[in-house]
Amino acid sequence: VQLQASGGGLVQGGGSLRLSCAASGRTFGSYAMGWFRQAPGKAREFVAAISWSGGTTYYGDSVKGRFTISRDNAKNTVYLQMNSLKPEDTAVYYCAAGSRGVATIPHLMVDYWGKGTLVTVSS
């Protein structure tokens, strides 16, 4: 599986962005998917995860209530809708795919990583 994230950019605090992650390969629908982020000088942080069916989602505490993960298996794409953005959301965002179930994604148990997309939130 190859993953390509897009949709990053510069946005003012309080604004919104939607990230997309397009996957190649016919087995996309069998993978749980996740989003992580990494700010300069900080460790990679779990943001959100979604099961293969889309029926189960997990969120990191810092984004709960503001971010929404979704997927369209027909389009081999997973999305991250980010609302009420804050300067502390500034980071490179990465999508990831895991074959061991959605509950393992927050623990960095992933099989594939995409290249990141930069999100910058100004104050």
Side-chain angles (χ1 to χ4, degrees):
V1 176
Q2 290 187 320
L3 305 173
Q4 180 63 56
S6 62
L10 174 63
V11 62
Q12 280 193 325
S16 298
L17 276 177
R18 187 176 81 155
L19 305 183
S20 299
C21 176
S24 64
R26 289 180 244 176
T27 59
F28 172 78
S30 64
Y31 285 90
M33 300 295 296
W35 287 96
F36 294 79
R37 66 187 182 186
Q38 189 165 19
K42 294 189 177 181
R44 192 162 294 192
E45 175 189 15
F46 167 70
V47 174
I50 189 166
S51 62
W52 67 270
S53 68
T56 302
T57 56
Y58 294 98
Y59 294 94
D61 288 342
S62 61
V63 306
K64 281 179 182 175
R66 300 188 298 124
F67 291 11
T68 303
I69 189 171
S70 61
R71 67 189 295 161
D72 185 338
N73 288 343
K75 295 182 178 180
N76 281 12
T77 303
V78 62
Y79 305 97
L80 185 68
Q81 178 66 43
M82 306 187 294
N83 298 329
S84 302
L85 282 162
K86 306 174 182 179
E88 51 263 44
D89 294 318
T90 295
V92 177
Y93 284 70
Y94 299 89
C95 60
S99 60
R100 285 160 282 188
V102 64
T104 66
I105 298 289
H107 303 286
L108 286 167
M109 296 175 69
V110 302
D111 299 291
Y112 302 98
W113 289 97
K115 292 184 180 179
T117 185
L118 176 63
V119 173
T120 303
V121 184
S122 62
S123 56

